[in-house]
Amino acid sequence: MRRSVELQIITEALSKLGPHTPAARIWGRAPGATAEQGADGNVWAGDVRDIALHIVSRLYGRPSAAAAASPLAQAEGHKRARDIVGETGVLTGAHEELVSAKWHPLRPGDLVHVAFEQAGEMAPFGETYAVADAGGGLMSMKLLAHTARDEDADSMVGCFATEASDAPLYEAWFEAGPQRLVVVRDGLVVHNGPGA
């Protein structure tokens, strides 16, 4: 299972070390190195993301490339196991990951793409939503396009559309999962779940 929340927290913590934030690389001295030995051969450097991945792998196991279950599916698994701490931890972690994202909340003009894997006889497909102002501080998410087959379109397509919501991405974030979402703002990808 991918440990995206833990990886993000550790990456952010490491990038905020020291006076130069955000840090891109971390430098250190090898354990047991003394000043008399000199700096040659005793100094190491690593990218923040690589070091965070190393820490997450040591703590939780190596993240897999396979698609992780959505936060809602993970919470259901904990619920079946009667693990209330795990259930609330997954839901709270997913909420924090969303609301702490630099691009959150969505803005009018944002595009949200959801990628669905194959499920049974249903072929993989994607759908794209446009975010618009619905008035009164609310936002809408309207389906723009999809790649579903005609026989699958009636049952699945457009399930995350909303007419007016204060958090239009919330349902897709929890049900599909952040790893299946791409958010585009002003032509730039601000969240690339599949590419994370």
Side-chain angles (χ1 to χ4, degrees), residues 19-45:
H20 306 291
T21 57
R25 292 183 64 74
I26 296 178
W27 299 81
R29 186 174 295 280
T34 64
E36 294 82 35
Q37 293 172 324
D40 294 340
N42 294 321
V43 175
W44 60 268

Side-chain angles (χ1 to χ4, degrees), residues 11-164:
T11 301
E12 287 175 1
L14 290 174
S15 70
K16 293 177 183 171
L17 288 175
H20 306 291
T21 57
R25 292 183 64 74
I26 296 178
W27 299 81
R29 186 174 295 280
T34 64
E36 294 82 35
Q37 293 172 324
D40 294 340
N42 294 321
V43 175
W44 60 268
D47 291 332
V48 168
R49 177 98 177 152
D50 293 339
I51 294 170
L53 182 61
H54 176 74
I55 292 168
V56 167
S57 298
R58 295 293 298 249
L59 290 172
Y60 305 106
R62 183 113 180 120
S64 72
S70 69
L72 195 58
Q74 291 177 44
E76 284 296 321
H78 287 290
K79 187 175 185 177
R80 283 191 300 277
R82 297 178 185 231
D83 176 11
I84 187 71
V85 173
E87 181 184 0
T88 56
V90 165
L91 297 174
T92 303
H95 170 80
E96 287 302 315
E97 183 182 5
L98 175 59
V99 299
S100 67
K102 292 179 182 180
W103 49 266
H104 185 269
L106 291 178
R107 297 180 192 160
D110 287 352
L111 298 175
V112 177
H113 181 78
V114 185
F116 294 95
E117 289 101 14
Q118 181 168 343
E121 296 293 317
M122 187 172 58
F125 72 97
E127 54 186 18
T128 303
Y129 295 88
V131 178
D133 187 350
L138 303 176
M139 308 295 261
S140 67
M141 230 169 61
K142 297 186 181 187
L143 182 67
L144 280 181
H146 67 85
T147 59
R149 298 181 306 194
D150 291 340
E151 58 266 27
D152 298 328
D154 291 339
S155 62
M156 284 297 296
V157 170
C159 61
F160 297 122
T162 179
E163 290 298 317

